Amino acid sequence: MAHARRVTLQDIAAAVGLSVNTVSRALTGKDQVSEETRAMIKAVADRLGYVPNTMARSLVLGQVMTIGVVITNPSNPFYARLISAIEQRGRVHGYSMLLMVSEENPDNERRAVESMMRWGVDGAIVVPVQAGDDHWRRLIDSGTRVVLVNRDLSDVDCDFAGIDYERSAYEASLHLLDTGVDSMYLFEEDLRISTVAARIDGFTRAVTERGLPADAVRVLRVPTRRHEASTLPWEAAESYDLARSVVAGLPDNCGILLGNDYFALGLYRALREAGRRIPDDVRIVGFGDDTFAGYLDPALSSVRLPSEQLGTAAVDQLLARLADRATRTPRVTAFYPTELVVRASSAGPAVVPAPAPAARRTRARTRQGSS
Amino acid sequence: MAHARRVTLQDIAAAVGLSVNTVSRALTGKDQVSEETRAMIKAVADRLGYVPNTMARSLVLGQVMTIGVVITNPSNPFYARLISAIEQRGRVHGYSMLLMVSEENPDNERRAVESMMRWGVDGAIVVPVQAGDDHWRRLIDSGTRVVLVNRDLSDVDCDFAGIDYERSAYEASLHLLDTGVDSMYLFEEDLRISTVAARIDGFTRAVTERGLPADAVRVLRVPTRRHEASTLPWEAAESYDLARSVVAGLPDNCGILLGNDYFALGLYRALREAGRRIPDDVRIVGFGDDTFAGYLDPALSSVRLPSEQLGTAAVDQLLARLADRATRTPRVTAFYPTELVVRASSAGPAVVPAPAPAARRTRARTRQGSS
DNA sequence: ATGAAAGCGCTAACAA
DNA sequence: TTGTTAGCGCTTTCAT
């Protein structure tokens, strides 16, 4: 059962007794064709089951109506939502999405760039691994517009849509300090990426500002297995191991900031097993506000990240660049506001648990400047 | 700063003083070219920064080395892992991935099919919405190989890689019944899809087999908002609302099976607030074994789903079909085994909580048959 | 309003 | 081993 060969403009032209050219014009809505001819051609095309050939079309047009998306790990719910938002927004504007996964591996990332250059995608939206950036520069030099998301590359001349993690971590830390803790911990994953560094900076700024003695402050790195495979779940087990080894030495009345909510899963268990109480003994704030955060016991305070907004903004920014190909405006760096959702896990000693969760937003900012 | 025009075979040919054809042969590794010529050409191509044009290549070759992937909702962690697995496996074989999101909406699904036909993707891997299937038949008739994943369409002639939810639910229900409960509840999302129906069937078979009186058995449907947007988190809030309205009438010593683990988040909270104890009063088993399952308090028993295996198998199945284009073997229907991970939430009254979680796997099966 | 011809970049016959 | 020719399906001059 060999399926029917694909119907082409030729076939339609032959069927209606007109030239390929006319058929093309009729179908693409050009106005140099009589309405009756067009209707007739459309009818025949429909009857024959004509579907335009994107390859041929793109080859001559020089644009493929496709954006390449490179993500480190789609299993991370933050990125999963980002992908959804990008796809949705792109689809509205008629763009398809070529998805590539780098798994935090620069080699995969380079391969992704190669792939995008072969395809000649119109633009790329990227969460960079942040290990090497020559390939990005090459991609941009080849004429592809690139928008970085969540992680920036200061040496690459392209737009960026991200989150001010420094400030978010600073504010979350202040919130913990405000509950009256007298020592502070930060759990961060063991990756050399700017988002982690920024959170550490914000955390450090807060504890320094409040004058916490150095020996009352610790940054703990949770080993990550994210390099190994993109299908791995997040690092709850690792944070559990770390927390268990730390929990005995954990002073009462301390605050813990977590680089992501999954750390809370491991930490909660370790504390439970050690008989430590949240928030009485230990007060906790996470990052990400994953679905489960509000349903843990006690409910986890967490910094909500604007993943959908980020995805939408990245697409819009890309399309804007595509719209005026020529102009050479300096790179746009936009930060989108997070929201500290305060729940029971960081309720201060004297505070009555609020009925509705209080929210506190960082303000939105957009910055323009050269590189 | 107009970027340099893309380097073509022509450019290389001109540079080395040979024909386009020879350059093509040299670069694609054909053996009708002297080694020294090839080396020379490769060097020049490299120096010039040549990148093959996929569009042009695909146009003449008639294959695009791309597989279309249609998913209902990438924010569902099960599908997120599936996507990762598919991308990874496809990449190994040199395939790119065009990702489309249907959001449980048949219109979007139809658009996705249209898009894939325009592209002329070599194959498609699909989680169907299960509302209408003409478009799938059209896609297949056009010569595109399709593999369905997780949800089957019995009237469409293509391969399927899935999970035996009926059996999994049956076994999970038996497990609950074995703990000595004398009433059974099932929480299922409010979607008309085969996976939900299958779990209901399995649940029903188990309770019937054990002779539970009809008034001791209930299937509750959790309203879903999944249609609204693919970036929405899963339905913890909805299950909480439902659970809260039900929990007062919930008899002690009952068992609850959940269509997905997110329902546990809402249910746990509702039970907590009502002062009901898990597993003493209520015993629970979820579906999905999401990362947080083992870290809830008490740890949630859950049916682990082989998402990675499913993704890998789907790609392999697709590539197998692609390999022997001609042959017309009947559709392959493969089921991959789940694993019931028993944890504290379903510990029977007399059972000591196991130190390591006991696991129980359904057996793997592959079936062949027409349609 | 319609047609003829050229070409997008590449590969695959067929020659030489 | 290398070159010439043709063509994948489409769009875009330039004629008519």
Side-chain angles (χ1 to χ4, degrees):
Chain A
M1 184 233 64
H3 54 271
R5 191 182 55 78
R6 188 166 175 175
V7 177
T8 71
L9 287 186
Q10 290 250 37
D11 301 325
I12 302 175
V16 299
L18 288 170
S19 77
V20 178
N21 193 338
T22 308
V23 175
S24 168
R25 281 190 292 230
L27 261 27
T28 49
K30 297 283 190 301
D31 55 351
Q32 318 141 328
V33 100
S34 78
E35 272 315 316
E36 42 185 346
T37 315
R38 164 164 319 174
M40 193 261 279
I41 290 178
K42 276 200 165 143
V44 174
D46 233 55
R47 182 165 56 73
L48 262 39
Y50 171 72
V51 176
N53 185 325
T54 295
M55 292 297 140
R57 189 160 211 277
S58 299
L59 182 57
V60 42
L61 255 36
Q63 62 154 3
V64 292
M65 292 302 285
T66 297
I67 74 189
V69 176
V70 186
I71 300 286
T72 57
N73 177 0
S75 299
N76 177 339
F78 174 68
Y79 291 134
R81 290 200 301 272
L82 189 71
I83 291 171
S84 279
I86 292 172
E87 199 272 351
Q88 229 169 299
R89 190 65 157 202
R91 173 155 33 95
V92 169
H93 295 275
Y95 281 81
S96 297
M97 160 170 159
L98 211 54
L99 181 68
M100 283 145 291
V101 179
S102 65
E103 304 175 56
E104 303 286 358
N105 179 340
D107 290 336
N108 288 339
E109 200 176 62
R110 263 181 281 270
R111 269 188 283 273
V113 168
E114 168 86 10
S115 185
M116 290 192 285
M117 290 184 69
R118 285 167 183 267
W119 276 92
V121 297
D122 301 299
I125 295 179
V126 175
V127 178
V129 172
Q130 292 186 325
D133 52 16
D134 293 9
H135 44 297
W136 297 120
R137 233 174 272 117
R138 258 179 37 228
L139 181 63
I140 292 166
D141 286 347
S142 83
T144 308
R145 299 296 197 171
V146 174
V147 175
L148 263 25
V149 178
N150 198 44
R151 306 181 186 172
D152 201 359
L153 294 169
S154 52
D155 290 344
V156 177
D157 181 29
C158 63
D159 297 333
F160 171 72
I163 289 167
D164 191 341
Y165 285 108
E166 198 275 344
R167 184 190 175 89
S168 299
Y170 171 75
E171 291 184 347
S173 301
L174 283 190
H175 160 70
L176 279 170
L177 289 161
D178 282 342
T179 67
V181 301
D182 38 43
S183 66
M184 286 281 283
Y185 288 71
L186 171 61
F187 280 42
E188 266 299 349
E189 64 184 325
D190 196 14
L191 279 181
R192 304 175 133 279
I193 52 180
S194 60
T195 57
V196 168
R199 284 193 295 260
I200 294 178
D201 287 349
F203 171 85
T204 306
R205 178 157 67 99
V207 296
T208 306
E209 213 172 275
R210 290 297 172 87
L212 237 58
D215 62 350
V217 175
R218 276 186 71 189
V219 176
L220 303 170
R221 303 305 287 259
V222 181
T224 182
R225 290 176 306 162
R226 283 220 255 151
H227 304 272
E228 293 173 26
S230 60
T231 53
L232 272 179
W234 269 59
E235 44 268 55
E238 286 75 6
S239 73
Y240 171 67
D241 291 341
L242 176 63
R244 208 169 39 164
S245 72
V246 165
V247 86
L250 214 59
D252 268 354
N253 196 37
C254 77
I256 304 184
L257 181 62
L258 304 171
N260 72 65
D261 280 357
Y262 281 84
F263 290 162
L265 298 173
L267 178 59
Y268 268 47
R269 182 200 271 183
L271 290 172
R272 217 156 48 220
E273 290 173 353
R276 313 293 293 267
R277 294 163 309 164
I278 314 170
D280 314 74
D281 304 333
V282 178
R283 289 190 265 293
I284 306 177
V285 172
F287 252 91
D289 194 31
D290 285 298
T291 309
F292 59 79
Y295 292 87
L296 296 181
D297 182 27
L300 176 68
S301 299
S302 191
V303 178
R304 182 172 299 162
L305 306 177
S307 48
E308 294 91 56
Q309 209 180 337
L310 230 50
T312 303
V315 173
D316 289 346
Q317 183 57 37
L318 188 59
L319 295 185
R321 288 292 185 182
L322 254 28
D324 61 2
R325 286 212 146 280
T327 53
R328 188 90 198 102
T329 42
R331 71 179 304 201
V332 175
T333 302
F335 292 95
Y336 293 87
T338 59
E339 187 174 339
L340 175 59
V341 183
V342 177
R343 300 196 183 95
S345 72
S346 65
V351 175
V352 184
R360 175 172 164 183
R361 320 184 92 232
T362 65
R363 57 174 203 276
R365 289 170 300 142
T366 299
R367 198 169 63 204
Q368 288 218 3
S370 56
S371 174
Chain B
M1 184 231 66
H3 53 271
R5 191 182 54 79
R6 187 166 175 175
V7 177
T8 71
L9 287 187
Q10 290 250 39
D11 301 325
I12 302 175
V16 301
L18 288 170
S19 78
V20 177
N21 193 341
T22 307
V23 175
S24 168
R25 280 190 294 231
L27 259 28
T28 50
K30 296 284 191 298
D31 54 353
Q32 318 142 329
V33 97
S34 78
E35 274 315 316
E36 43 185 344
T37 315
R38 166 164 322 184
M40 192 261 280
I41 291 177
K42 276 200 164 144
V44 174
D46 232 56
R47 182 163 56 73
L48 261 40
Y50 172 71
V51 177
N53 184 325
T54 294
M55 293 297 142
R57 189 160 211 276
S58 299
L59 182 57
V60 43
L61 254 36
Q63 61 155 5
V64 292
M65 292 302 284
T66 297
I67 74 188
V69 176
V70 186
I71 299 285
T72 57
N73 177 0
S75 299
N76 177 338
F78 174 68
Y79 291 134
R81 289 199 301 272
L82 189 71
I83 290 171
S84 280
I86 292 172
E87 199 270 353
Q88 230 169 300
R89 190 65 157 203
R91 174 158 28 99
V92 168
H93 294 275
Y95 281 82
S96 297
M97 161 169 159
L98 211 54
L99 181 68
M100 282 146 290
V101 178
S102 65
E103 303 176 56
E104 302 286 358
N105 179 340
D107 290 335
N108 287 340
E109 200 176 64
R110 263 180 281 270
R111 269 188 283 273
V113 168
E114 168 87 9
S115 185
M116 289 191 285
M117 291 184 68
R118 286 168 182 269
W119 276 90
V121 296
D122 301 298
I125 294 179
V126 176
V127 178
V129 172
Q130 293 186 324
D133 52 16
D134 293 9
H135 45 297
W136 297 121
R137 232 174 271 114
R138 258 179 38 231
L139 181 62
I140 292 167
D141 286 347
S142 83
T144 308
R145 300 295 197 171
V146 174
V147 175
L148 263 25
V149 178
N150 197 45
R151 305 181 186 173
D152 203 358
L153 293 170
S154 52
D155 291 343
V156 177
D157 182 29
C158 63
D159 298 332
F160 171 71
I163 289 168
D164 190 342
Y165 285 107
E166 199 275 344
R167 184 192 175 88
S168 299
Y170 171 75
E171 291 184 347
S173 301
L174 282 190
H175 161 69
L176 279 169
L177 288 161
D178 282 341
T179 67
V181 301
D182 39 41
S183 67
M184 286 280 283
Y185 288 72
L186 171 62
F187 279 43
E188 266 298 349
E189 64 184 324
D190 197 14
L191 278 181
R192 304 175 133 279
I193 52 179
S194 60
T195 56
V196 167
R199 282 193 295 259
I200 294 178
D201 288 349
F203 172 84
T204 306
R205 179 157 67 97
V207 295
T208 307
E209 212 173 276
R210 290 297 173 86
L212 237 59
D215 63 349
V217 176
R218 276 187 71 188
V219 176
L220 303 171
R221 304 304 287 261
V222 181
T224 182
R225 288 177 307 160
R226 282 222 256 152
H227 303 273
E228 292 173 27
S230 59
T231 52
L232 272 179
W234 269 60
E235 45 268 57
E238 286 76 5
S239 73
Y240 171 67
D241 291 340
L242 177 62
R244 207 168 40 163
S245 73
V246 165
V247 84
L250 215 59
D252 268 354
N253 196 36
C254 76
I256 303 184
L257 181 63
L258 304 172
N260 72 65
D261 281 356
Y262 281 83
F263 289 162
L265 298 173
L267 179 58
Y268 267 49
R269 182 200 273 184
L271 290 171
R272 215 155 49 219
E273 291 173 353
R276 313 294 292 266
R277 295 163 307 165
I278 314 170
D280 313 75
D281 304 333
V282 179
R283 287 190 266 294
I284 306 177
V285 172
F287 251 90
D289 194 31
D290 284 298
T291 309
F292 59 78
Y295 292 88
L296 296 181
D297 183 27
L300 176 67
S301 300
S302 191
V303 178
R304 182 173 299 161
L305 306 176
S307 48
E308 295 92 56
Q309 209 180 337
L310 230 51
T312 303
V315 173
D316 289 346
Q317 184 57 36
L318 187 60
L319 295 185
R321 289 290 187 185
L322 256 28
D324 62 3
R325 285 213 148 279
T327 53
R328 188 91 196 100
T329 42
R331 73 179 302 203
V332 175
T333 303
F335 292 96
Y336 293 86
T338 60
E339 187 175 338
L340 175 59
V341 182
V342 177
R343 300 196 183 93
S345 72
S346 66
V351 174
V352 183
R360 175 171 165 183
R361 317 184 94 231
T362 66
R363 56 174 203 278
R365 289 170 301 142
T366 300
R367 198 169 63 202
Q368 288 218 1
S370 59
S371 175

